[in-house]
Amino acid sequence: MNKLDESVMVLKGIGSSKAKRLSRLGINTIRDLIHYYPKRYKDKRLITNIKEVSPAGYFNIKGIISNKAEVLKSKRGILITKFIVSDETGSLVVIFYNNRFAKDMFKPGDTVIFSGRTSLINNRITMECPEYEKAVSNSINTLRIVPEYGLTEGLSQKEIRKVVYSALEYTDNTIEEIFPADFRKAFKLAEINFTIRNIHFPEDEKNLQMAQRRLKFQEVFFLQSYMIKLRGNSVDEEKGIEFNASKEVTGLVKKLPYKLTGAQERVLEEVLFDMTRPIAMNRLIQGDVGSGKTVIAFLALINCVKSGYQGVMMAPTEILAAQHFDTIKNYINIIEENISIALVTGSLKMSYRKEIQEEISKGNIKIVIGTHALLNEELEFHNLGLVITDEQHRFGVRQRAMLKSKASNPDMLVMSATPIPRTLSLVLYGDLDISVIDELPPNRKKIETYYIGSDKRERLFNFVKKLINEGRQAYIVCPLVEESEKLELISAKEYCEKIKKSYFKGYNIGLIYGKMKNEEKEKIMEEFYNGHIHIIVSTTVIEVGINVPNATIMIIENAERFGLAQLHQLRGRVGRGSHQSYCILISDSNSKSVKDRLRFMTKTNDGFLIAKKDLELRGSGEILGTKQHGMPEFKLIDISKDHDIIKASKEAVDLLYKKKKIKDVQYHKMEKYLDDEFAKITDEIALN
């Protein structure tokens, strides 16, 4: 057995009790332990003369214990143990509270290093409850850059440092290096054993930076490699279809009822150019809500059909699929083309679905719009040339690959209305070329956004009634569905009942939440779309929903519970028609950071600016959700700051897959490692 896969209990001093505590931190094996990286570091190399120590600071001092422990109790019954510590320049007091063992920790004459905060007590500089260690030559707790780890009850920093150090001694520089020497040199990566030693116990700042760079690079590199493997092909350019109708499509643009924005024209040009090339397109179109991604998808489908192939577009919900179907059918009528189109969803009657499937398999239907029902094994295409997925973040990479597998290397276009900063896109979509529609149509009105306290709710609801009486509709979003004693938040169910009986008596109110059956959600959203429901009270399930031009106000209760990007997505449910729209954020939080965040929302409607701010505030881990399905977890990389490492990793992934042509033992070893890790992940996905 590889040493890394052995239980932590092989290490001296770790019995079943300590092993259980480590397990609470997710540490069960030696591998877990050496990859349990410090959260921060304290530089304890600098020893300050006691004479230079001042109150209200953090210091490392080295001194001799001058007295026997002085033990006393305070008026409140707190046990206090005092020592006097001296060096050649002066002395100070060290105090421990409620520690019955403290009196025996030191004896007069012991040389001890103390690290801690100072204060002025009874007119003397005092260090309270410091970290300490008797002066030794090779300490792991003092006189060095000292790691600090995330802890659990029953484990101290000293204990976890000790077990990590033991694990490093146990592995004794035997961790296998997977990156070839020339690969490491090209991307400035430290050797793995050096890296693991210095991420825990760095000899100096330079070594720590080298270790951090290697591990950050590795995190992004592995995730990007897994994404490519999940897609089922390499980054090498694959032979694809040479679509030949781009000039005709460009001509049809003139027939559209409006002029494309500059950003739309640029992205359309990129898509059509990709489709003309003899290699398979793999492109992501990012565009804020309302930026006009659907028309680009439509024109790509027309290019596909006019080149003699079928095109398919998959959406996450039946309502969204039906909306796309209606929009694209309408565009086909506008450009006066005779192109057959069909909608495939799970709710179709079996007899009708079979009839549609047969027509698709014969090639009689040229454009197919649908939901996950498109992944059905029985559905076959005659000559599928283009695959489009909408709202990309709602589909797994495997679903993308499943749809793509219904053809012989079709072009792939994925769309997302969730703005993502460039660096995060490189991580999430390292296998795709990226196009950005960063301009809204000129006729779109800015959604007026306000941040208020709950004391103004009645005034707000009067405004909502005014809008409804004028023929408009409203969304109200609550973070919870049922009452929670721990979280004093408004429950969607209780909230709905309350406003039905009070503020909005006589108005039609619908309720939507996550645990509802899809058919129920779809039915309520359809009634809302048709204008039969005035107000939808909902949890965030309407974050990706249908286009209801008549809905002009979005109210978000307990807005502090949502990230900026999520608030922006919710706001994007309104502002889709010709009427002025509003988004009202309600929060009574006194937190300065919350207030600043919500005020930021009122100042901009730019989704990419909001996404950048959200990334800075929340970090990449929460946004990426890399813990899902066993995907590699980001422990060190900071996507908002580590741009150079992300870029280098993308270059490295490209290099690796091109190196397949080179018979290099070390490169094959790296590939095998990635294949093995990928197999573990896919096994875990299958189990879940």
Side-chain angles (χ1 to χ4, degrees), residues 298 328-337 339 341 367:
F298 162 70
I328 289 172
K329 196 173 181 181
N330 186 43
Y331 280 140
I332 290 170
N333 292 334
I334 288 170
I335 64 171
E336 299 172 332
E337 294 286 334
I339 296 172
I341 180 171
I367 295 176

Side-chain angles (χ1 to χ4, degrees), residues 23 91 95 195 254 298 354 362 481 535 600 668:
S23 186
S91 64
I95 289 181
T195 296
K254 295 170 187 172
F298 162 70
K354 283 187 176 178
K362 288 177 181 176
V481 177
I535 300 170
F600 181 82
H668 286 310

Side-chain angles (χ1 to χ4, degrees), residues 103-232:
K103 63 184 175 60
D104 301 317
M105 287 192 301
F106 317 114
K107 58 182 188 294
D110 283 350
T111 301
V112 184
I113 296 158
F114 292 98
S115 302
R117 295 209 157 272
T118 53
S119 56
L120 204 62
I121 297 177
N122 297 329
N123 219 25
R124 285 205 69 175
I125 292 177
T126 303
M127 195 175 274
E128 298 175 273
C129 302
E131 288 189 73
Y132 62 87
E133 187 153 50
K134 291 184 182 179
V136 290
S137 58
N138 61 342
S139 169
I140 59 172
N141 297 298
T142 55
L143 300 180
R144 65 177 308 132
I145 297 174
V146 177
E148 296 212 325
Y149 300 88
L151 299 175
T152 186
E153 190 178 349
L155 269 181
S156 67
Q157 288 291 351
K158 277 188 177 181
E159 285 176 306
I160 200 156
R161 281 179 209 136
K162 187 178 178 182
V163 296
V164 170
Y165 191 80
S166 296
L168 294 175
E169 286 192 316
Y170 184 71
T171 55
D172 189 29
N173 294 326
T174 59
I175 303 168
E176 188 177 14
E177 176 61 79
I178 61 159
F179 291 151
D182 63 329
F183 184 91
R184 294 202 310 272
K185 186 177 179 182
F187 295 100
K188 300 176 184 173
L189 305 176
E191 188 272 336
I192 190 61
N193 288 282
F194 170 93
T195 296
I196 294 298
R197 277 198 315 277
N198 281 278
I199 198 68
H200 291 289
F201 299 103
E203 292 173 18
D204 52 38
E205 290 97 335
K206 185 182 176 185
N207 284 9
L208 175 58
Q209 286 166 7
M210 287 168 69
Q212 288 173 328
R213 178 181 169 80
R214 159 71 193 248
L215 293 171
K216 286 178 178 183
F217 176 96
Q218 197 165 291
E219 287 179 350
V220 183
F221 176 80
F222 285 169
L223 181 66
Q224 289 176 330
S225 297
Y226 296 147
M227 298 296 253
I228 286 166
K229 287 178 178 291
L230 279 170
R231 197 182 81 192

Side-chain angles (χ1 to χ4, degrees), residues 388-655:
I388 302 176
T389 58
D390 188 25
E391 296 299 353
Q392 166 58 23
H393 68 289
R394 295 285 293 271
F395 296 110
V397 187
R398 287 181 308 139
Q399 289 168 317
R400 228 163 79 194
M402 283 169 69
L403 190 55
K404 190 174 177 182
S405 69
K406 291 182 178 284
S408 178
N409 212 27
D411 277 15
M412 171 68 76
L413 192 62
V414 297
M415 303 197 301
S416 177
T418 306
I420 300 170
R422 178 74 184 172
T423 49
L424 188 53
S425 295
L426 283 173
V427 175
L428 278 177
Y429 306 116
D431 58 330
L432 301 172
D433 296 312
I434 300 170
S435 291
V436 178
I437 304 178
D438 50 6
E439 181 183 355
L440 289 176
N443 60 339
R444 288 296 295 268
K445 288 184 179 177
K446 181 188 173 189
I447 301 167
E448 297 292 339
T449 305
Y450 300 94
Y451 158 38
I452 64 170
S454 61
D455 57 321
K456 295 186 174 63
R457 192 181 284 119
E458 187 170 351
R459 186 176 160 193
L460 168 63
F461 284 170
N462 287 333
F463 178 61
V464 173
K465 281 193 272 193
K466 177 178 176 289
L467 290 176
I468 293 173
N469 293 339
E470 289 172 2
R472 308 285 81 77
Q473 291 164 281
Y475 292 105
I476 303 178
V477 173
C478 304
L480 290 182
V481 177
E482 293 170 348
E483 279 285 14
S484 167
E485 292 177 5
K486 291 182 181 177
L487 294 171
E488 292 181 3
L489 300 175
I490 297 168
S491 154
K493 279 184 176 177
E494 185 219 5
Y495 186 100
C496 188
E497 289 304 313
K498 184 178 178 182
I499 64 170
K500 266 184 184 177
K501 293 173 183 173
S502 54
Y503 297 107
F504 296 106
K505 202 171 181 181
Y507 292 87
N508 293 331
I509 301 174
L511 172 66
I512 288 186
Y513 54 92
K515 289 181 180 177
M516 283 176 78
K517 290 180 179 176
N518 280 335
E519 309 88 75
E520 292 176 353
K521 288 181 200 170
E522 300 271 346
K523 186 173 182 294
I524 290 171
M525 286 307 292
E526 195 172 340
E527 286 185 30
F528 187 62
Y529 181 66
N530 293 329
H532 300 145
I533 290 176
H534 300 117
I535 300 170
I536 285 268
V537 175
S538 168
T539 58
T540 52
V541 292
I542 53 102
E543 187 179 327
V544 175
I546 58 170
N547 183 3
V548 184
N550 199 43
T552 59
I553 185 161
M554 165 65 71
I555 296 169
I556 304 170
E557 295 276 6
N558 301 112
E560 74 278 359
R561 301 292 298 174
F562 302 99
L564 286 178
Q566 200 175 18
L567 288 172
H568 181 64
Q569 283 292 304
L570 290 168
R571 175 167 63 185
R573 293 303 101 211
V574 296
R576 291 164 169 259
S578 56
H579 303 284
Q580 178 61 56
S581 289
Y582 307 88
C583 177
I584 315 297
L585 310 172
I586 302 177
S587 175
D588 291 328
S589 172
N590 291 318
S591 161
K592 183 181 181 301
S593 63
V594 166
K595 288 178 179 179
D596 289 347
R597 193 157 52 88
L598 297 181
R599 285 191 190 111
F600 181 82
M601 280 296 297
T602 66
K603 292 172 185 172
T604 182
N605 275 256
D606 186 329
F608 289 94
L609 194 62
I610 287 165
K612 188 175 179 230
K613 186 78 171 175
D614 202 35
L615 182 62
E616 288 169 9
L617 293 171
R618 290 200 292 159
S620 57
E622 190 179 341
I623 294 171
L624 274 170
T626 46
K627 288 185 181 180
Q628 293 177 27
H629 302 308
M631 289 300 282
E633 182 186 348
F634 281 5
K635 298 177 182 178
L636 296 174
I637 192 84
D638 183 339
I639 290 174
S640 63
K641 294 175 184 173
D642 295 322
H643 302 179
D644 61 323
I645 295 176
I646 292 164
K647 187 180 175 186
S649 172
K650 177 72 170 70
E651 290 170 13
V653 169
D654 293 351
L655 177 66

Side-chain angles (χ1 to χ4, degrees), residues 336-366:
E336 299 172 332
E337 294 286 334
N338 184 24
I339 296 172
S340 54
I341 180 171
L343 178 66
V344 175
T345 65
S347 62
L348 289 180
K349 286 184 179 177
M350 187 59 71
S351 56
Y352 181 62
R353 191 193 300 186
K354 283 187 176 178
E355 187 182 319
I356 292 283
Q357 286 178 178
E358 191 174 336
E359 290 299 300
I360 292 169
S361 67
K362 288 177 181 176
N364 295 335
I365 293 174
K366 301 300 181 184

